[in-house]
Amino acid sequence: MQEFTYSDTTLMAESVPLRAVAEEFGTPLYVYSKRSVLDHCRNIERAFEGHPHMSFYAVKANANRALLRLIGEEGFGADVGSVGELHVALAAGIHAAKITFSGVGKREDEMTAALRAGIHAFNVESTEEIEVLDAIAGHEKKKARILLRVNLDIDAGGHAYVSTSLKQNKFGIPARQSAEVLRWAKGLAHIDVRGIHSHIGSQITKAETFLRAAEALVSLLRELAVAGIHLTDLDFGGGFGVQYRGYIAHPQIPVEEPEELNLSAATLIRTVAPLLRETNCRLSIQPGRSVIAHAGVLLVKVLYRKQTEDKLFVVVDGGMNDLIRPSLYKAYHQIVPLELFAREQESADIVGPLCESGDFFAIDRRIPRVERGEFLALMCAGAYGYVLSSNYNARPRPAEVLVDGSTRTLIRRRETIEQINEA
Ligand code: LLP
């Protein structure tokens, strides 16, 4: 599982020293471990213990085609949130019959493209959306399979921006209204109502939160059945949290206490699966982060050390445009040197080169002293890293490299200034 480790004092990705990769491809650079991707997929699949289910990988977490291909080859389908993601998933060889389409604002052209491709199902979120889908499906002479996303009004904890199942959030239909909406939708000519869907948030590490959601869904399905609405599909969504703090250990790097109980995605799935199985529905999940977060790191180079009266700043060549999670969600990524030299530890703000104070990776972080020209790795950056990168400050997006044993393959070229300057 742990494919990024120190061999003596050198940080490796599988059998490759990361410093060699940084020097060969330049920084900032995303590097992924193939072994890690495969292991995470397999652990999630094993958590179902042979029970029939479908895992739709949430493409929004990382849409690199080479990585999607690996995940698809492990038997995963894909959950897409846009026609762009649909396109990438299909191009990565994932069969349309294994693709679902989620999101609160699907455009008509996106629904048309997904219907024509023949996707498995639409996870729908409003009555207007269902009406539009019904009309498009009629025009296309097709039937659209739907799962109704329900809002369970559950506080999933974590950052407010990624909580999705509170009643004040824009997502889903209140569970109380679901019977009425489902009954109405069943009457539509071009809609095939299959089931319900829920996704309560992201980076959830408490088993009890998932258990509450599972219990709410099980009782909702029971109530619906009593009301004469019999459903066959239940999609439990994603959100399974991963360890960020203290992911990697070495006597020369500061000890970080993991923030939560540290339950793996597989353990979280194992706690809810028996309950969900009782419904006898076709079960599915949509894991994103738990598949890909641990499989990637972001490498950056130290540009300058800068000591002011109050602070030591370590200025690196990657910034919030390359990895926005610390700036946007105050997210924590462990930061470690690619080479350890038995130097003293110091406390520093690790900051990028962009033009605002929000451009930081860590504040008052203890790290072993690093010098200009040396490299750092931001750990667990495989999910919501590259996909959230931007051209802020007219900075080209980073390159992406996949390591497999001792081989490394460029899986996305670094963007060029010419590309971002095109009309
Ligand atoms: N299904 C739906 C409908 C979703 O909206 C999401 C994520 C997932 C599945 C996958 O959730 P996961 O297993 O990855 O937690 N940018 C934020 C995370 C946003 C999550 C958005 N939805 C971050 O960097 O933490």
Side-chain angles (χ1 to χ4, degrees):
M1 282 295 271
Q2 174 63 285
E3 304 300 340
F4 295 97
T5 50
Y6 282 101
S7 162
D8 193 13
T9 54
T10 299
L11 188 60
M12 312 286 287
E14 304 194 16
S15 318
V16 180
L18 278 167
R19 183 177 160 186
V21 187
E23 281 169 351
E24 183 178 343
F25 296 95
T27 49
L29 181 71
Y30 279 97
V31 182
Y32 305 93
S33 151
K34 176 175 174 181
R35 186 76 255 154
S36 177
V37 178
L38 301 186
D39 283 351
H40 283 89
C41 289
R42 287 170 196 176
N43 279 340
I44 289 171
E45 289 310 279
R46 267 198 293 271
F48 285 93
E49 289 161 352
H51 188 79
H53 69 281
M54 188 66 205
S55 296
F56 298 105
Y57 165 68
V59 176
K60 55 175 74 80
N62 189 318
N64 185 289
R65 192 167 68 208
L67 300 175
L68 259 171
R69 189 171 286 282
L70 289 179
I71 295 165
E73 283 167 2
E74 288 300 301
F76 279 55
D79 178 60
V80 302
S82 69
V83 70
E85 288 184 357
L86 172 66
H87 186 81
V88 181
L90 291 170
I94 296 178
H95 199 271
K98 285 173 141 185
I99 294 178
T100 53
F101 191 175
S102 299
V104 72
K106 305 176 191 78
R107 291 191 314 259
E108 290 167 67
D109 64 294
E110 294 184 303
M111 291 177 176
T112 306
L115 269 174
R116 287 187 184 163
I119 67 162
H120 171 65
F122 293 82
N123 295 320
V124 294
E125 306 222 13
S126 67
T127 48
E128 278 200 7
E129 179 192 345
I130 300 170
E131 272 167 0
V132 171
L133 183 58
D134 180 51
I136 295 174
H139 188 259
E140 295 290 318
K141 302 198 173 22
K142 292 200 154 96
K143 252 196 157 180
R145 288 175 288 274
I146 64 161
L147 277 71
L148 182 69
R149 180 165 178 176
V150 291
N151 184 317
L152 302 171
D153 195 19
I154 281 181
D155 184 359
H159 197 282
Y161 289 3
V162 296
S163 162
T164 51
S165 211
L166 286 170
K167 63 174 189 280
Q168 64 265 36
N169 297 141
K170 66 182 172 184
F171 298 100
I173 292 224
R176 253 171 288 109
Q177 288 173 18
S178 56
E180 189 191 334
V181 173
L182 288 163
R183 192 170 291 120
W184 162 77
K186 273 175 177 279
L188 297 174
H190 310 288
I191 295 290
D192 176 5
V193 177
R194 289 296 177 97
I196 53 173
H197 160 57
S198 137
H199 169 76
I200 54 173
S202 199
Q203 185 52 14
I204 301 163
T205 46
K206 290 197 176 72
E208 71 201 54
T209 312
F210 285 110
L211 269 175
R212 259 192 299 144
E215 279 160 8
L217 287 168
V218 170
S219 67
L220 177 61
L221 280 166
R222 207 174 293 132
E223 284 167 29
L224 290 170
V226 170
I229 301 166
H230 299 280
L231 300 170
T232 54
D233 291 35
L234 173 59
D235 189 321
F236 192 61
F240 312 106
V242 305
Q243 179 184 357
Y244 281 102
R245 281 174 208 262
Y247 179 69
I248 189 167
H250 186 283
Q252 287 190 39
I253 61 176
V255 176
E256 292 181 351
E257 289 300 328
E259 58 276 64
E260 302 277 358
L261 278 176
N262 241 332
L263 298 178
S264 68
T267 309
L268 292 168
I269 292 166
R270 249 184 228 110
T271 49
V272 291
L275 203 60
L276 298 175
R277 265 181 228 167
E278 281 175 26
T279 63
N280 287 326
C281 279
R282 261 192 298 261
L283 203 57
S284 55
I285 55 166
Q286 308 173 318
R289 190 190 310 268
S290 52
V291 174
I292 202 72
H294 285 176
V297 295
L298 174 64
L299 305 185
V300 295
K301 185 150 95 178
V302 178
L303 294 176
Y304 302 108
R305 294 171 58 82
K306 171 173 169 171
Q307 181 72 62
T308 66
E309 266 175 31
D310 298 320
K311 290 244 178 200
L312 169 66
F313 294 97
V314 171
V315 186
V316 298
D317 67 353
M320 66 189 290
N321 76 297
D322 303 302
L323 177 68
I324 203 174
R325 303 193 68 256
S327 308
L328 190 57
Y329 315 110
K330 298 207 166 62
Y332 193 98
H333 286 269
Q334 191 177 20
I335 303 179
V336 298
L338 296 196
E339 301 281 352
L340 294 168
F341 301 101
R343 298 194 192 124
E344 78 280 16
Q345 290 178 8
E346 55 190 12
S347 199
D349 283 13
I350 299 166
V351 300
L354 283 84
C355 57
E356 54 183 280
S357 298
D359 178 31
F360 62 83
F361 288 142
I363 305 289
D364 294 327
R365 181 71 64 85
R366 281 200 79 70
I367 51 161
R369 182 185 169 103
V370 281
E371 302 290 348
R372 172 171 161 76
E374 294 175 0
F375 297 102
L376 292 170
L378 283 95
M379 306 306 295
C380 310
Y384 306 109
Y386 186 92
V387 285
L388 280 167
S389 64
S390 76
N391 292 129
Y392 189 25
N393 274 199
R395 287 165 54 85
R397 286 185 182 80
E400 296 184 290
V401 168
L402 181 64
V403 168
D404 177 14
S406 56
T407 65
R408 51 257 204 178
T409 312
L410 186 65
I411 54 170
R412 195 192 304 266
R413 274 191 293 278
R414 188 175 299 285
E415 217 173 9
T416 62
I417 290 173
E418 291 68 39
Q419 276 173 313
I420 59 177
N421 203 26
E422 274 164 11

